[in-house]
Amino acid sequence: MKKITLICSLFVSSLMNAQTFIDNFDSYTAGQKLAQQSAGAWTTWSNTPGSAEDGLVSNANAFSLPNSMYFSSTASTGGPVDQVKHFGVLNTGSFSLEWNMFVETGKAAYFNLQKTATMGQIYALDVNFNDNGALDFNTGSALNLSTTFTQNTWFNFRLDINFNTNTWEVFIDDVSKGTFANSINQIEAIDLFPVDQNSPYSSGFFVDDFQYTITPYVLPNLNLAANLVSFTGANLSGSNVTRIVKVRNLGLTAINSFDITCNYNGIDEVQNVTGLNLASLAETTITITAPLNLIPGSNVLTATVSNVNTGVDEDANDNVTMTTINPTVRALGKVVVGEEGTGTWCQWCPRGAVFMEMMENTYGEYWAGIAVHNGANDPMKNVVYDAGMGALISGYPSSLVDRGDEDDPSAMEPKFLANIQVLPAAVMKNEATWNSTTRELAVTVKAKFISSVTGDYKLACVITEDDVTGTTSGYAQVNAYAGGGSGVMGGYETKPNPVPASQMVYNHVGREILPSFGGQTGIIPTSVTIGEEFMTTYTFTLPLTYDENEIHVISMLIEPSGEINNAGKSTFAVAQLASTSEITLDCGGTVEILTNSGVTTVPNFTTTVANSTTCVGQTIVEQSPLPGTALQMGTNNITILTTDACGNKQVCFKTVNYVDPSFDLQCPQATDLYFSINGSALPDYTGEITTSTTCIPNTITTIQSPVAGSQMTAGVNTVTVSSTNECGESRSCTISVNYVNNAGINEKNSENFVQLFPNPANEVLNFSTSTKNIKSIRILTIDGKEVLKQTTNFKTGKVSLSSLTDGLYTIEFNFENGIKSSQKFIKE
């Protein structure tokens, strides 16, 4: 039995009459065309079942035996199979689409969703299963979601869409790979088409067990849905962007007013919308008037609709829409160069022009795009630039971002976002003068180094021109996107092939590069330290056919590897003005910051540095690292960059010394001291402690109390030793000094002094003298009774006290010269 099933079920809610379609291709005849034998269930792009667009049912590989559909192509344009399934217009309720899929190793797969039944009119979604295992979801040139899949194995692909909330979620083997909101929140058909967007343009994949479920939505009386919140502008930290909110009337009653509350970084902003007459199922886009400044980190931007027609709508499930913003943090002074290899003869090169324009419109201040034309009949070709570019690319269109690896122009944005985060070696500045008589444009290129480098760094300068037109046939652009069969491409799908010269306007045209593609050596020495600046001047003579008001100047700092380290970009008008205005910047001196906790976050210096300019307009002050960035202990260099409205730039440096004033201090252990020739004077212990500190300078001052030389008293004396480092932090410790005072004992001669230790003693009493040998020892009680006697003939020795009871005793030493000496000790 042919498994093509349409199932209806009823839900008791506003969601009802779910419809399910299932086709496992098993009842078809393998080797014959699908649409031709599907009784209208399937068709083709041109609605011509049985034509070359109609795919063959296959029994070569299936998830559920015996059959599946196999799609393959090696043509760069894909096809010719172009299999289509219509759903009917879907823009409310929910929709679930799935199938089992097998993509061959090293090959690609593709499908698109069409917004309307007219194929090629509006692409709602392009999905590329790339030949490297990447899976990308795009709406036009916007990347909605990127994930991965596994080649050469069967997996289940599913896309769940809630049109009411504009939530599109992707699953592979029932594991969610992410969600996104689609700016085109409507579909009518799916188109399965074998194409590979990357060389060698090989597509090969199987589809089995195709199915979908449509769950309609019954409109309540009053309901406004928040469908999409997004922004226009650069997704870069510090950028001011414009928020836009798309809303849709999913009720029966026309909507004339409502409120939108946008929340970002915990801050609410409410905008009242009035004066509308939004009919049922109609949608509109609201621009939030207040700009939004993007901050570093991942933050959720939400938009909530309320107060609909001054009341509450009947379905709160679709009142909130959100998106996560995690802007890229731009490195100080960084400008990324994008060079595109193109030509009017190249049928796919409109793709390069579209993505170059998108990059300029989105990131123009930090993006320097250059279209390097190629081809004998292309009148915009520059021989020097074309030769240099041609040596680095293998086909057209191709792109180089900062002269890294070759890639398709569609990949310029992710490479830009990666490179814009890398701190350059130098900040680039352009100054120019224009002689309208000789048409000479003299550009002085300056490189102010913000880090120390070694190697052969080079300088180069490019001029580009916008709004270039022409009337000869060489200005006509060959266009493979004509007719829409190859997808949406910035309007080229609606233009003929070729696009007549009269309809073409070219931007970013690389007119000339000086002194060469590889750059000029000898301007920058092979060893550069922070703060050094180097400059040179390049003179361009503009032909009369060039419009000097559309000229852009792009200077380049080229690394020894040949990659571009940084660039400076300015329009002709700004470059000319920059030579007549002045800018100053004073960073001040070194800042020393003490920290006990190890927290070393850099302060915000942008509001405290002194700067001025003679240019009229806003001056922007930036620093690197950004305020709040965690740095290391010790000396850190902070770079400050100020840019005025005329394009003048000035760089200065601030030194921040993070010091940890905490340090280690260790005292000697408790000690016993005895009466000697020095009497009862307290020794100097300041030289006996051990200290260490990370404070710079690491000089440590140590004192003790009581001071050295103070008279000790019998028994335990407490000495406090304190150390202070240059950061003002102090540490202290104590030493217990047990002083046995023998000054009251009859001693014939200080030369016969005997040292006893320990005192008090427990089992053993040690003795030592530096004079004569001791002949005998007697121990007497405090009342003079002898309790122990032993003979000896040494200067050192020990006496066992195990037979004595605890108490105070006198020990008497008899020297070989007949002298006697006695001391008191304690047995405990």
Short mmCIF file of all heavy atoms in Angstrom, two decimals, residues 488-539:
data_model
loop_
_atom_site.label_atom_id
_atom_site.label_comp_id
_atom_site.label_asym_id
_atom_site.label_seq_id
_atom_site.Cartn_x
_atom_site.Cartn_y
_atom_site.Cartn_z
N VAL A 488 17.61 33.63 -3.89
CA VAL A 488 17.59 35.08 -3.72
C VAL A 488 19.01 35.59 -3.59
O VAL A 488 19.83 35.01 -2.87
CB VAL A 488 16.77 35.45 -2.48
CG1 VAL A 488 16.85 36.95 -2.21
CG2 VAL A 488 15.32 35.02 -2.64
N MET A 489 19.34 36.66 -4.29
CA MET A 489 20.66 37.24 -4.17
C MET A 489 20.59 38.75 -4.34
O MET A 489 20.93 39.32 -5.37
CB MET A 489 21.63 36.63 -5.19
CG MET A 489 23.09 37.00 -4.94
SD MET A 489 23.64 36.77 -3.23
CE MET A 489 23.49 35.00 -3.03
N GLY A 490 20.05 39.41 -3.31
CA GLY A 490 20.07 40.85 -3.24
C GLY A 490 19.38 41.57 -4.38
O GLY A 490 19.74 42.71 -4.70
N GLY A 491 18.42 40.94 -5.01
CA GLY A 491 17.70 41.56 -6.11
C GLY A 491 18.19 41.13 -7.48
O GLY A 491 17.52 41.38 -8.50
N TYR A 492 19.35 40.48 -7.55
CA TYR A 492 19.84 40.01 -8.85
C TYR A 492 18.95 38.92 -9.43
O TYR A 492 18.97 38.67 -10.64
CB TYR A 492 21.29 39.51 -8.72
CG TYR A 492 22.31 40.62 -8.76
CD1 TYR A 492 22.77 41.20 -7.58
CD2 TYR A 492 22.80 41.11 -9.97
CE1 TYR A 492 23.70 42.24 -7.61
CE2 TYR A 492 23.73 42.14 -10.01
CZ TYR A 492 24.17 42.70 -8.81
OH TYR A 492 25.09 43.73 -8.85
N GLU A 493 18.17 38.26 -8.58
CA GLU A 493 17.25 37.24 -9.09
C GLU A 493 16.14 37.85 -9.94
O GLU A 493 15.49 37.14 -10.72
CB GLU A 493 16.67 36.42 -7.93
CG GLU A 493 15.71 37.17 -7.03
CD GLU A 493 16.39 38.01 -5.96
OE1 GLU A 493 17.64 38.11 -5.99
OE2 GLU A 493 15.67 38.55 -5.09
N THR A 494 15.93 39.13 -9.80
CA THR A 494 14.89 39.81 -10.59
C THR A 494 15.47 40.52 -11.80
O THR A 494 14.72 41.12 -12.58
CB THR A 494 14.14 40.83 -9.72
OG1 THR A 494 15.05 41.87 -9.33
CG2 THR A 494 13.56 40.16 -8.48
N LYS A 495 16.79 40.50 -11.97
CA LYS A 495 17.45 41.18 -13.09
C LYS A 495 17.74 40.18 -14.20
O LYS A 495 17.83 38.97 -13.97
CB LYS A 495 18.74 41.85 -12.62
CG LYS A 495 18.53 42.96 -11.58
CD LYS A 495 19.86 43.57 -11.16
CE LYS A 495 19.67 44.63 -10.09
NZ LYS A 495 18.93 45.81 -10.59
N PRO A 496 17.94 40.66 -15.41
CA PRO A 496 18.22 39.75 -16.54
C PRO A 496 19.66 39.25 -16.52
O PRO A 496 20.47 39.67 -15.69
CB PRO A 496 17.97 40.64 -17.76
CG PRO A 496 18.25 42.04 -17.27
CD PRO A 496 17.81 42.06 -15.83
N ASN A 497 19.95 38.39 -17.46
CA ASN A 497 21.31 37.89 -17.65
C ASN A 497 21.72 38.12 -19.11
O ASN A 497 21.11 37.55 -20.01
CB ASN A 497 21.39 36.40 -17.32
CG ASN A 497 22.80 35.86 -17.49
OD1 ASN A 497 23.78 36.60 -17.37
ND2 ASN A 497 22.91 34.58 -17.82
N PRO A 498 22.73 38.95 -19.35
CA PRO A 498 23.43 39.77 -18.37
C PRO A 498 22.61 41.00 -17.98
O PRO A 498 21.67 41.36 -18.67
CB PRO A 498 24.70 40.18 -19.12
CG PRO A 498 24.26 40.24 -20.56
CD PRO A 498 23.26 39.12 -20.72
N VAL A 499 23.05 41.61 -16.86
CA VAL A 499 22.42 42.86 -16.45
C VAL A 499 23.01 43.97 -17.32
O VAL A 499 24.24 44.15 -17.35
CB VAL A 499 22.67 43.16 -14.96
CG1 VAL A 499 21.92 44.42 -14.55
CG2 VAL A 499 22.26 41.99 -14.11
N PRO A 500 22.20 44.70 -18.06
CA PRO A 500 22.74 45.73 -18.95
C PRO A 500 23.55 46.77 -18.19
O PRO A 500 23.31 47.05 -17.02
CB PRO A 500 21.49 46.36 -19.57
CG PRO A 500 20.40 45.35 -19.40
CD PRO A 500 20.73 44.62 -18.12
N ALA A 501 24.52 47.36 -18.87
CA ALA A 501 25.37 48.38 -18.26
C ALA A 501 24.52 49.52 -17.70
O ALA A 501 24.87 50.11 -16.66
CB ALA A 501 26.37 48.91 -19.27
N SER A 502 23.44 49.83 -18.35
CA SER A 502 22.59 50.94 -17.90
C SER A 502 21.95 50.68 -16.55
O SER A 502 21.49 51.63 -15.89
CB SER A 502 21.50 51.21 -18.95
OG SER A 502 20.68 50.06 -19.13
N GLN A 503 21.90 49.40 -16.12
CA GLN A 503 21.28 49.06 -14.84
C GLN A 503 22.31 48.76 -13.75
O GLN A 503 21.93 48.46 -12.62
CB GLN A 503 20.36 47.84 -15.00
CG GLN A 503 19.19 48.05 -15.93
CD GLN A 503 18.31 46.82 -16.03
OE1 GLN A 503 18.26 46.00 -15.11
NE2 GLN A 503 17.60 46.69 -17.15
N MET A 504 23.58 48.86 -14.08
CA MET A 504 24.62 48.47 -13.13
C MET A 504 25.32 49.69 -12.53
O MET A 504 25.68 50.64 -13.22
CB MET A 504 25.67 47.59 -13.81
CG MET A 504 25.20 46.17 -14.09
SD MET A 504 24.67 45.27 -12.60
CE MET A 504 26.15 45.35 -11.59
N VAL A 505 25.50 49.62 -11.19
CA VAL A 505 26.29 50.60 -10.44
C VAL A 505 27.27 49.80 -9.59
O VAL A 505 26.87 48.92 -8.82
CB VAL A 505 25.42 51.49 -9.54
CG1 VAL A 505 26.30 52.44 -8.73
CG2 VAL A 505 24.42 52.27 -10.38
N TYR A 506 28.56 50.08 -9.71
CA TYR A 506 29.60 49.32 -9.02
C TYR A 506 30.18 50.15 -7.88
O TYR A 506 30.52 51.33 -8.05
CB TYR A 506 30.71 48.92 -9.99
CG TYR A 506 30.23 47.99 -11.09
CD1 TYR A 506 29.76 48.50 -12.30
CD2 TYR A 506 30.24 46.61 -10.92
CE1 TYR A 506 29.32 47.66 -13.31
CE2 TYR A 506 29.81 45.76 -11.93
CZ TYR A 506 29.35 46.29 -13.13
OH TYR A 506 28.91 45.45 -14.13
N ASN A 507 30.33 49.50 -6.71
CA ASN A 507 30.92 50.16 -5.54
C ASN A 507 32.23 49.47 -5.15
O ASN A 507 32.51 48.34 -5.57
CB ASN A 507 29.96 50.13 -4.36
CG ASN A 507 28.75 51.03 -4.59
OD1 ASN A 507 28.88 52.11 -5.17
ND2 ASN A 507 27.58 50.59 -4.14
N HIS A 508 33.02 50.18 -4.35
CA HIS A 508 34.26 49.64 -3.75
C HIS A 508 35.29 49.26 -4.82
O HIS A 508 36.15 48.40 -4.58
CB HIS A 508 33.98 48.42 -2.87
CG HIS A 508 32.69 48.48 -2.13
ND1 HIS A 508 32.44 49.43 -1.18
CD2 HIS A 508 31.57 47.71 -2.23
CE1 HIS A 508 31.22 49.24 -0.69
NE2 HIS A 508 30.66 48.23 -1.32
N VAL A 509 35.22 49.86 -6.00
CA VAL A 509 36.10 49.48 -7.10
C VAL A 509 37.54 49.86 -6.76
O VAL A 509 37.84 51.04 -6.50
CB VAL A 509 35.65 50.16 -8.41
CG1 VAL A 509 36.63 49.82 -9.53
CG2 VAL A 509 34.23 49.74 -8.76
N GLY A 510 38.43 48.87 -6.74
CA GLY A 510 39.83 49.12 -6.47
C GLY A 510 40.50 49.78 -7.66
O GLY A 510 40.79 49.14 -8.66
N ARG A 511 40.74 51.09 -7.55
CA ARG A 511 41.27 51.84 -8.69
C ARG A 511 42.79 51.73 -8.81
O ARG A 511 43.34 51.57 -9.89
CB ARG A 511 40.86 53.31 -8.59
CG ARG A 511 39.39 53.59 -8.87
CD ARG A 511 38.98 53.08 -10.24
NE ARG A 511 37.73 53.69 -10.72
CZ ARG A 511 37.15 53.38 -11.87
NH1 ARG A 511 37.71 52.47 -12.65
NH2 ARG A 511 36.02 53.97 -12.23
N GLU A 512 43.49 51.82 -7.67
CA GLU A 512 44.95 51.80 -7.73
C GLU A 512 45.50 51.44 -6.37
O GLU A 512 44.92 51.78 -5.33
CB GLU A 512 45.50 53.17 -8.18
CG GLU A 512 46.99 53.16 -8.50
CD GLU A 512 47.47 54.45 -9.12
OE1 GLU A 512 46.62 55.35 -9.38
OE2 GLU A 512 48.68 54.59 -9.34
N ILE A 513 46.65 50.74 -6.37
CA ILE A 513 47.35 50.40 -5.13
C ILE A 513 48.80 50.81 -5.27
O ILE A 513 49.45 50.52 -6.28
CB ILE A 513 47.21 48.89 -4.80
CG1 ILE A 513 47.87 48.58 -3.45
CG2 ILE A 513 47.75 48.00 -5.90
CD1 ILE A 513 47.52 47.18 -2.91
N LEU A 514 49.31 51.55 -4.29
CA LEU A 514 50.69 52.02 -4.30
C LEU A 514 51.40 51.60 -3.02
O LEU A 514 50.78 51.53 -1.95
CB LEU A 514 50.74 53.56 -4.42
CG LEU A 514 50.27 54.17 -5.74
CD1 LEU A 514 50.36 55.71 -5.66
CD2 LEU A 514 51.10 53.67 -6.92
N PRO A 515 52.71 51.34 -3.08
CA PRO A 515 53.53 51.30 -4.29
C PRO A 515 53.43 49.97 -5.03
O PRO A 515 53.87 49.86 -6.17
CB PRO A 515 54.96 51.49 -3.75
CG PRO A 515 54.91 50.80 -2.43
CD PRO A 515 53.52 51.05 -1.87
N SER A 516 52.83 48.94 -4.36
CA SER A 516 52.70 47.62 -4.97
C SER A 516 51.68 46.83 -4.16
O SER A 516 51.26 47.26 -3.07
CB SER A 516 54.04 46.88 -4.97
OG SER A 516 54.48 46.63 -3.64
N PHE A 517 51.30 45.68 -4.66
CA PHE A 517 50.35 44.83 -3.94
C PHE A 517 50.94 44.37 -2.61
O PHE A 517 50.23 44.28 -1.60
CB PHE A 517 50.00 43.61 -4.81
CG PHE A 517 48.99 42.69 -4.19
CD1 PHE A 517 47.63 42.98 -4.26
CD2 PHE A 517 49.37 41.53 -3.54
CE1 PHE A 517 46.68 42.14 -3.69
CE2 PHE A 517 48.44 40.68 -2.96
CZ PHE A 517 47.09 40.99 -3.04
N GLY A 518 52.24 44.09 -2.58
CA GLY A 518 52.87 43.57 -1.37
C GLY A 518 53.28 44.61 -0.37
O GLY A 518 53.59 44.30 0.78
N GLY A 519 53.29 45.90 -0.78
CA GLY A 519 53.62 46.97 0.15
C GLY A 519 55.06 47.42 0.06
O GLY A 519 55.90 46.80 -0.60
N GLN A 520 55.36 48.51 0.77
CA GLN A 520 56.67 49.16 0.72
C GLN A 520 57.48 48.83 1.95
O GLN A 520 57.04 49.01 3.08
CB GLN A 520 56.49 50.67 0.59
CG GLN A 520 57.81 51.44 0.45
CD GLN A 520 57.57 52.92 0.23
OE1 GLN A 520 56.43 53.37 0.20
NE2 GLN A 520 58.65 53.68 0.06
N THR A 521 58.71 48.35 1.72
CA THR A 521 59.63 48.08 2.81
C THR A 521 60.51 49.30 3.06
O THR A 521 60.57 50.22 2.25
CB THR A 521 60.52 46.86 2.48
OG1 THR A 521 61.28 47.17 1.31
CG2 THR A 521 59.67 45.63 2.23
N GLY A 522 61.20 49.28 4.20
CA GLY A 522 62.16 50.33 4.50
C GLY A 522 61.59 51.51 5.24
O GLY A 522 62.35 52.31 5.79
N ILE A 523 60.28 51.67 5.26
CA ILE A 523 59.68 52.77 6.02
C ILE A 523 59.67 52.44 7.50
O ILE A 523 59.94 53.29 8.35
CB ILE A 523 58.25 53.04 5.53
CG1 ILE A 523 58.24 53.35 4.03
CG2 ILE A 523 57.62 54.19 6.32
CD1 ILE A 523 59.05 54.56 3.65
N ILE A 524 59.38 51.20 7.80
CA ILE A 524 59.30 50.74 9.19
C ILE A 524 60.52 49.87 9.49
O ILE A 524 60.78 48.91 8.75
CB ILE A 524 58.01 49.94 9.42
CG1 ILE A 524 56.79 50.81 9.09
CG2 ILE A 524 57.93 49.41 10.84
CD1 ILE A 524 55.48 50.06 9.08
N PRO A 525 61.30 50.18 10.52
CA PRO A 525 62.46 49.35 10.86
C PRO A 525 62.04 47.95 11.30
O PRO A 525 60.88 47.71 11.62
CB PRO A 525 63.14 50.12 11.99
CG PRO A 525 62.09 51.00 12.56
CD PRO A 525 61.15 51.32 11.44
N THR A 526 62.98 47.04 11.35
CA THR A 526 62.68 45.65 11.69
C THR A 526 62.45 45.44 13.18
O THR A 526 62.03 44.36 13.59
CB THR A 526 63.81 44.73 11.22
OG1 THR A 526 65.05 45.18 11.79
CG2 THR A 526 63.92 44.74 9.70
N SER A 527 62.72 46.46 13.98
CA SER A 527 62.43 46.38 15.41
C SER A 527 61.77 47.69 15.84
O SER A 527 62.36 48.77 15.70
CB SER A 527 63.71 46.14 16.22
OG SER A 527 63.42 46.06 17.60
N VAL A 528 60.53 47.57 16.36
CA VAL A 528 59.74 48.75 16.70
C VAL A 528 59.28 48.62 18.15
O VAL A 528 58.86 47.54 18.59
CB VAL A 528 58.52 48.88 15.77
CG1 VAL A 528 57.69 50.11 16.15
CG2 VAL A 528 58.96 48.97 14.32
N THR A 529 59.32 49.73 18.89
CA THR A 529 58.84 49.73 20.27
C THR A 529 57.52 50.52 20.34
O THR A 529 57.19 51.30 19.45
CB THR A 529 59.87 50.35 21.22
OG1 THR A 529 60.14 51.69 20.79
CG2 THR A 529 61.14 49.54 21.22
N ILE A 530 56.81 50.30 21.43
CA ILE A 530 55.52 50.97 21.63
C ILE A 530 55.69 52.49 21.58
O ILE A 530 56.62 53.05 22.17
CB ILE A 530 54.92 50.57 22.99
CG1 ILE A 530 54.55 49.09 23.00
CG2 ILE A 530 53.68 51.38 23.31
CD1 ILE A 530 54.06 48.59 24.33
N GLY A 531 54.79 53.15 20.87
CA GLY A 531 54.79 54.60 20.81
C GLY A 531 55.48 55.19 19.59
O GLY A 531 55.29 56.38 19.30
N GLU A 532 56.24 54.39 18.85
CA GLU A 532 56.92 54.92 17.67
C GLU A 532 55.91 55.10 16.53
O GLU A 532 54.97 54.33 16.38
CB GLU A 532 58.05 53.99 17.23
CG GLU A 532 59.23 53.97 18.19
CD GLU A 532 60.43 53.23 17.60
OE1 GLU A 532 60.50 52.00 17.77
OE2 GLU A 532 61.26 53.88 16.94
N GLU A 533 56.15 56.11 15.71
CA GLU A 533 55.27 56.40 14.57
C GLU A 533 56.11 56.53 13.31
O GLU A 533 57.18 57.14 13.32
CB GLU A 533 54.47 57.67 14.81
CG GLU A 533 53.46 57.97 13.71
CD GLU A 533 52.61 59.19 14.01
OE1 GLU A 533 53.19 60.28 14.15
OE2 GLU A 533 51.37 59.03 14.12
N PHE A 534 55.59 55.97 12.22
CA PHE A 534 56.28 56.02 10.93
C PHE A 534 55.29 56.45 9.86
O PHE A 534 54.10 56.14 9.96
CB PHE A 534 56.89 54.66 10.59
CG PHE A 534 57.79 54.12 11.67
CD1 PHE A 534 57.30 53.27 12.64
CD2 PHE A 534 59.12 54.52 11.74
CE1 PHE A 534 58.11 52.79 13.65
CE2 PHE A 534 59.94 54.05 12.75
CZ PHE A 534 59.45 53.18 13.71
N MET A 535 55.78 57.16 8.84
CA MET A 535 54.87 57.69 7.84
C MET A 535 55.55 57.75 6.49
O MET A 535 56.79 57.76 6.37
CB MET A 535 54.39 59.08 8.25
CG MET A 535 55.47 60.15 8.25
SD MET A 535 54.85 61.75 8.85
CE MET A 535 54.67 61.38 10.59
N THR A 536 54.72 57.81 5.47
CA THR A 536 55.19 58.02 4.10
C THR A 536 54.03 58.59 3.31
O THR A 536 52.87 58.50 3.72
CB THR A 536 55.71 56.72 3.46
OG1 THR A 536 56.34 57.01 2.21
CG2 THR A 536 54.56 55.74 3.23
N THR A 537 54.32 59.18 2.15
CA THR A 537 53.30 59.82 1.33
C THR A 537 53.21 59.16 -0.04
O THR A 537 54.25 58.90 -0.67
CB THR A 537 53.59 61.33 1.16
OG1 THR A 537 53.59 61.95 2.45
CG2 THR A 537 52.53 61.99 0.29
N TYR A 538 51.99 58.89 -0.47
CA TYR A 538 51.73 58.34 -1.80
C TYR A 538 50.87 59.33 -2.58
O TYR A 538 49.90 59.88 -2.05
CB TYR A 538 50.99 57.00 -1.71
CG TYR A 538 51.77 55.95 -0.94
CD1 TYR A 538 51.41 55.62 0.37
CD2 TYR A 538 52.85 55.30 -1.49
CE1 TYR A 538 52.09 54.66 1.09
CE2 TYR A 538 53.56 54.33 -0.79
CZ TYR A 538 53.18 54.02 0.50
OH TYR A 538 53.87 53.09 1.21
N THR A 539 51.23 59.54 -3.84
CA THR A 539 50.51 60.51 -4.67
C THR A 539 49.79 59.78 -5.81
O THR A 539 50.42 59.06 -6.59
CB THR A 539 51.47 61.56 -5.25
OG1 THR A 539 52.12 62.25 -4.17
CG2 THR A 539 50.70 62.57 -6.09
#
